[in-house]
Amino acid sequence: MAAFSELVFSGVQPTGNLHLGNYLGAIRRFVEMQARDAQCLYCVVDLHAITLWQDPEALKAQIREVTAAFLAAGIDPRRSIVFNQSQVPQHAELAWVFNCVARLGWLNRMTQFKDKAGKDREAASIGLYDYPVLMAADILAYRATHVPVGEDQKQHLELTRDIAQKFNTDFAGSIVAHGHGDGEGTGFFPVTEPLIGGPAARVMSLRDGTRKMSKSDASDNARINLTDDADAIASKVRRAKTDSDALPSEVAGLAGRAEADNLVGIFAALKGITRDAVLAEYGGAQFSAFKGALVELAVETLSPIAAQMKRLSADPGHIDAVLADGSERAEAIAAPTLDAVKDIVGFVRRTRLRSV
Ligand code: TYM
């Protein structure tokens, strides 16, 4: 592998209905990261997907669809490593070691588990509870330094940092003894930097500005899907909830106006400008006019992606080849990490008995 100064990792679940929040909060930023001096790994996290029931045939289609969305959005599979999690066994293997590092009390604080498990917590899968530990393993199997995500992943990334630090502390002596120290302290795992930000770190529902735009919202009108055509986008934006006032001319005027704030944030992110810049142009405008401009911008950005996703989806063989190539390259980075972890933890590694 070429020596990059940063290693970027992020993942998206293949659970259907990829939406504008996934695109603006994550996938589009994955594309931007390719321009940095960084090795980027972008993973379709199928092991995470099955923490909630997935129909097996639909899951396969969804894995290929997320891969197609990555490529259609501009991720270059020669420059970045694009793969699905289940093809690289080191993720699950490292998660087990981390299960023995993470503390029950840490996981009990995870708000996303509480949201997803709902009232009947006893009926939730153990995988759903353990979800953030697998996420830490995803990131640290590559010793990733930077992780671009939406704001809803902040707590999970804090847990990743806690796990890395506890591992480094618990095994400090062994890390040095095996020559895996960083020379400055005893760190084997980096304390990963979350990259959360921009006007679309948290895109909200089009029907309720206080709730996150989500794949699982019962109302399809609450989100813009990456596969929506121009008519669907136009109808959803025009029906988006707003208040009856004109747009303010300054960001402070968006306080207490969740729906207005959300639409301005979406506009800003699509155009690559700040909320201030949007309001400098549209302050005083009525929503009808602003929504017209937003439709135009959204269609202009999303239509080529939807069209390319459709083209790519017609050739699953190509998608599978991209995933196979990415998985091999990912494993080439993760396998030495796991070898080192085994030495550090005190396992006896398999010695080669005969040449193959
Ligand atoms: P997932 O599949 O739920 O979402 C994928 C990415 O989209 C972001 N996102 C949003 N951003 C802004 N506004 C929204 N409404 C919105 N909804 C979703 C998410 O923050 C995420 O960045 N746990 C992760 C997947 C994962 C992962 C990882 C991420 C597994 N292992 C390791 C980073 C590193 C998730 O559920 O993503």
Side-chain angles (χ1 to χ4, degrees):
M1 189 182 65
F4 291 100
S5 64
E6 294 175 353
L7 203 145
V8 175
F9 182 95
S10 200
V12 174
Q13 292 196 72
T15 42
N17 296 330
L18 274 182
H19 54 71
L20 188 63
N22 299 128
Y23 176 66
L24 294 176
I27 299 171
R28 185 150 117 157
R29 300 175 56 232
F30 300 174
V31 178
E32 288 162 11
M33 299 297 296
Q34 293 185 130
R36 291 167 56 148
D37 177 23
Q39 171 66 72
C40 302
L41 290 108
Y42 297 125
C43 183
V44 184
V45 290
D46 44 14
L47 299 178
H48 278 109
I50 62 163
T51 57
L52 296 173
W53 168 253
Q54 303 296 326
D55 173 77
E57 277 313 304
L59 181 59
K60 283 193 209 303
Q62 287 158 194
I63 292 167
R64 295 189 177 112
E65 180 170 272
V66 173
T67 310
F70 282 175
L71 305 182
I75 293 172
D76 174 357
R78 284 161 305 183
R79 170 138 180 65
S80 296
I81 297 177
V82 174
F83 70 108
N84 60 318
Q85 196 183 23
S86 62
Q87 289 199 39
V88 182
Q90 285 78 9
H91 291 244
E93 214 176 343
L94 186 57
W96 182 259
V97 175
F98 285 169
N99 278 336
C100 304
V101 173
R103 305 288 97 178
L104 210 57
W106 299 359
L107 287 185
N108 283 340
R109 286 195 284 276
M110 294 295 116
T111 56
Q112 203 158 85
F113 172 74
K114 293 178 194 164
D115 291 346
K116 287 195 176 172
K119 286 203 179 70
D120 194 5
R121 221 178 276 186
E122 298 283 308
S125 74
I126 293 174
L128 188 65
Y129 185 74
D130 203 29
Y131 182 113
V133 176
L134 178 59
M135 223 176 121
D138 295 340
I139 295 165
L140 295 173
Y142 304 93
R143 301 210 268 169
T145 55
H146 294 78
V147 182
V149 279
E151 203 174 272
D152 60 345
Q153 298 302 313
K154 188 163 182 257
Q155 195 184 33
H156 289 160
L157 292 190
E158 280 160 8
L159 185 90
T160 300
R161 291 161 67 95
D162 289 343
I163 290 175
Q165 273 164 333
K166 188 167 190 313
F167 183 97
N168 288 344
T169 309
D170 288 355
F171 295 103
S174 189
I175 290 169
V176 172
H178 286 91
H180 294 304
D182 59 11
E184 290 163 15
T186 53
F188 175 69
F189 287 116
V191 180
T192 303
E193 204 58 54
L195 299 173
I196 302 171
R202 191 173 178 81
V203 175
M204 309 307 278
S205 154
L206 298 179
R207 308 300 305 160
D208 176 354
T210 63
R211 287 179 31 214
K212 194 180 69 164
M213 184 177 285
S214 136
K215 291 170 183 169
S216 55
D217 200 310
S219 164
D220 196 53
N221 284 324
R223 63 178 165 263
I224 294 177
N225 300 307
L226 285 193
T227 47
D228 281 346
D229 61 20
D231 289 344
I233 295 173
S235 130
K236 288 177 181 181
V237 171
R238 290 199 191 284
R239 291 165 69 175
K241 191 175 164 204
T242 52
D243 51 47
S244 52
D245 292 343
L247 281 166
S249 47
E250 284 176 5
V251 169
L254 291 171
R257 298 178 66 186
E259 283 82 15
D261 184 49
N262 189 37
L263 293 185
V264 171
I266 291 172
F267 191 102
L270 282 169
K271 201 151 185 192
I273 58 177
T274 62
R275 277 181 167 78
D276 289 292
V278 176
L279 295 178
E281 192 176 346
Y282 290 96
Q286 295 299 321
F287 274 106
S288 50
F290 180 66
K291 281 180 169 180
L294 181 54
V295 167
E296 208 174 296
L297 187 56
V299 169
E300 191 183 291
T301 311
L302 300 179
S303 290
I305 298 175
Q308 181 64 356
M309 277 176 74
K310 212 168 178 180
R311 276 194 290 276
L312 287 164
S313 298
D315 187 0
H318 171 66
I319 299 278
D320 292 3
V322 167
L323 292 173
D325 175 63
S327 298
E328 268 185 27
R329 286 154 65 206
E331 187 163 0
I333 306 174
T337 310
L338 263 290
D339 285 349
V341 166
K342 287 178 185 172
D343 289 341
I344 291 167
V345 168
F347 296 156
V348 176
R349 276 205 274 141
R350 190 201 295 169
T351 45
R352 204 176 273 270
L353 292 180
R354 54 185 171 269
S355 52
V356 249

